Amino acid sequence: MIVALLRTVILYLLIIAGLRLMGKRQIGELEPSELVLALLIADLAAVPMQDFGIPLLTGVIPILTLLCVTTILSVLTAKSQAVRTLLCGRPSIIIRNGELDQREMTKNRFTLDELSEELRIKGYTDLSAIKYAILETNGQLSVLPYAAQSPATAAQMGVTPPEPGIPLVLISDGTLFPANLKHAGLDDNWLRRRLKERGLSSCRQVFLLTVDEVGKVCLVPREKAG
Amino acid sequence: MRRVWAAAALLLLLITAALWNAGALTRLAGQLTQDLSLTEQAVQADDWDKAAQLAGQALDRWDRHGFYLHITLRHGDLQDIQLELSRLQECVELQDADQCAASVSRLAAQLNQLSRSEQLTLRNVL
């Protein structure tokens, strides 16, 4: 048991160190320690589940050990900048004032293709429009454009548009959600009128019907099966 | 902060329990080895009644710790020792001194291995 406990701690720290060395690109959206925990717990739980010749404790003890170590590390991470840097790394500035930092890209093994792809996903095609692009510790790229290249906001234009809020789904794939209808302050008569306007007679003919807080309706009729 | 203290306390409890387990296993292996050694001496002295009593005592001691052993150790290793203890009893009943010596030797090695595998040593950790 003590051997299993110590081995668990050693392997956990080793895998975190390994992932930190692999760089941010391999991590995705999780912090390194979270990814390690998810991978290890899944595997540790699977072994005693499959092999009845192994006592349950050999799975339970490493899992409890991991949870304890993770809790302690997460508190240390929150309290200490040094521990946070050690476990999660630092964000890397890939583009600074519109110029690529090739050293940072090499250090993070971040290729030009990957950078172009991330920028396209975020709607940027011109490097010179970007003030900063930062590779975060969770592997995501944050893009901050120059102020002159940023889309103008309603406040900057002196416009006060109505606040639409979150659209409520009233009908999804032919199924009516009466609770949402009531929550939006609407009733069956309103619903029948909206359907009739679009030449529909039943909820089953609707693929999607939403309404926002200002009463804007989005109705998508269901396509007839070919 | 309360959560970190709870985690630290649980970790400490796990370490204590694991160290206690290693110690308890060493003590049990030592007691069983002692029983087996006395059994072998009785066999060599041709005192088969005493040998049967000591072999039975070893088996009883093993059975008394059955639950604890099953929740902490690999079941395959335990079954091997259980079978060997039963075989030793048969050998004693049949008064086969050579088989008894071989069985005691195998059991001593298995118990030693069982105890060593749970010790906090660099060899085991690595």
Side-chain angles (χ1 to χ4, degrees), chain B residues 2-14:
Chain B
R2 200 184 299 163
R3 203 190 296 176
V4 76
W5 286 120
L10 182 59
L11 195 61
L12 198 67
L13 185 73
L14 285 172

Side-chain angles (χ1 to χ4, degrees), chain A residues 36 52 90 126-127 132 148:
Chain A
V36 171
F52 298 134
R90 279 201 184 93
D126 183 8
L127 281 186
Y132 290 113

Side-chain angles (χ1 to χ4, degrees), chain A residues 1-3 5-7 10 51-58 61 64-65 67-69 71-72 75 79, chain B residues 1 3-4 7-8 10-11 14-15 17-19 21 70-75 117-120 124-125:
Chain A
M1 265 162 62
I2 187 71
V3 175
L5 195 150
L6 259 178
R7 287 171 79 119
I10 291 171
D51 189 347
F52 298 134
I54 297 174
L56 204 58
L57 271 185
T58 55
I61 286 178
L64 282 179
T65 307
L67 292 176
C68 290
V69 174
T71 308
I72 293 168
V75 172
K79 298 256 175 212
Chain B
M1 207 59 193
R3 203 190 296 176
V4 76
L10 182 59
L11 195 61
L14 285 172
I15 292 171
L19 287 171
N21 173 62
H70 265 79
I71 60 169
T72 54
L73 296 168
R74 286 175 184 277
H75 301 169
S117 67
E118 284 292 314
Q119 296 309 305
L120 181 58
N124 278 342
V125 171

Side-chain angles (χ1 to χ4, degrees), chain A residues 32-47:
Chain A
S33 55
E34 293 167 344
L35 180 67
V36 171
L37 189 69
L39 290 175
L40 285 184
I41 286 188
D43 203 43
L44 283 169
V47 173

Side-chain angles (χ1 to χ4, degrees), chain A residues 66-88:
Chain A
L66 282 177
L67 292 176
C68 290
V69 174
T70 303
T71 308
I72 293 168
L73 286 183
S74 67
V75 172
L76 289 178
T77 305
K79 298 256 175 212
S80 158
Q81 175 67 47
V83 177
R84 193 155 54 240
T85 305
L86 186 72
L87 288 182
C88 306

